[in-house]
Amino acid sequence: MSLIKFNNRNRLFPSWNNESLKSFLSSDDFFNNDFFEEDSLMPAMNVKEHDEDFEIEFAAPGFSKKDFEVTIDDNILNVCGEKKHEVEEKEEDYTRKEFSYNSFRRSLTLPKSVSTDQEVKATYKNGILKLNLHKKEEAKEQPKKVIEVI
């Protein structure tokens, strides 16, 4: 068996193979980037665990309280937001109509330590939707017991 020297001179971009060059230059692949993905339009989310509950925050500026729907179904937390805005202005010579539509949906599987029987507290203030989900009693951190040795 003999070794054959690799010839790299016939390639326009030596570090890419022909398939990656074709996909890079293809106009159809432009729309397959993260900007056009549904997940890129999701609000940022923070999850904090406290001794008594879980606190989940969603950054959703521009919405109002009535734009949200929060449900728990089969231990899955669903948070939906939908905002519609429409303005129509009619004058003698013209009609101007503008509209916008924003929506998102996030679904989270809740840990077994969350009590779905207790009420979930939901507040919306300054563009932040905050949910407080209570923990089950047995999941709460118990104080450390000191046992005296006699």
Side-chain angles (χ1 to χ4, degrees):
M1 177 199 267
S2 63
L3 295 176
I4 300 173
K5 186 176 179 181
F6 180 73
N7 184 352
N8 208 13
R9 286 178 278 177
N10 294 334
R11 291 186 175 178
L12 183 59
F13 297 102
S15 63
W16 294 352
N17 63 29
N18 286 336
E19 290 304 313
S20 55
L21 179 60
K22 286 178 188 174
S23 70
F24 175 75
L25 297 175
S26 170
S27 62
D28 292 340
D29 286 342
F30 174 77
F31 294 102
N32 289 333
N33 66 25
D34 287 342
F35 178 77
F36 295 100
E37 291 292 321
E38 188 176 311
D39 290 342
S40 68
L41 302 175
M42 292 292 150
M45 179 179 72
N46 290 326
V47 179
K48 301 173 189 172
E49 182 175 4
H50 303 290
D51 291 338
E52 301 289 319
D53 64 357
F54 287 95
E55 182 180 298
I56 304 172
E57 297 174 323
F58 295 92
F63 286 81
S64 66
K65 293 176 186 179
K66 63 179 176 51
D67 295 332
F68 295 105
E69 180 183 353
V70 181
T71 60
I72 297 177
D73 187 29
D74 282 338
N75 219 33
I76 296 178
L77 173 69
N78 296 301
V79 179
C80 305
E82 182 177 71
K83 179 183 174 99
K84 297 177 186 178
H85 179 71
E86 192 171 310
V87 175
E88 188 171 347
E89 183 180 311
K90 291 185 178 187
E91 295 289 329
E92 264 184 45
D93 298 340
Y94 69 92
T95 299
R96 181 179 67 97
K97 187 173 187 176
E98 294 183 19
F99 66 93
S100 65
Y101 178 81
N102 273 338
S103 71
F104 71 89
R105 178 182 182 94
R106 297 225 41 186
S107 297
L108 306 167
T109 302
L110 297 174
K112 293 179 181 179
S113 59
V114 171
S115 173
T116 56
D117 299 334
Q118 293 185 17
E119 184 180 340
V120 175
K121 182 181 176 188
T123 57
Y124 183 71
K125 184 178 179 185
N126 297 330
I128 304 292
L129 174 64
K130 187 186 295 187
L131 306 174
N132 291 89
L133 299 137
H134 297 284
K135 289 184 178 179
K136 293 178 181 175
E137 284 299 319
E138 59 270 12
K140 292 179 183 174
E141 200 171 298
Q142 300 297 323
K144 182 175 162 181
K145 289 184 180 182
V146 178
I147 301 170
E148 182 182 345
V149 178
I150 53 173

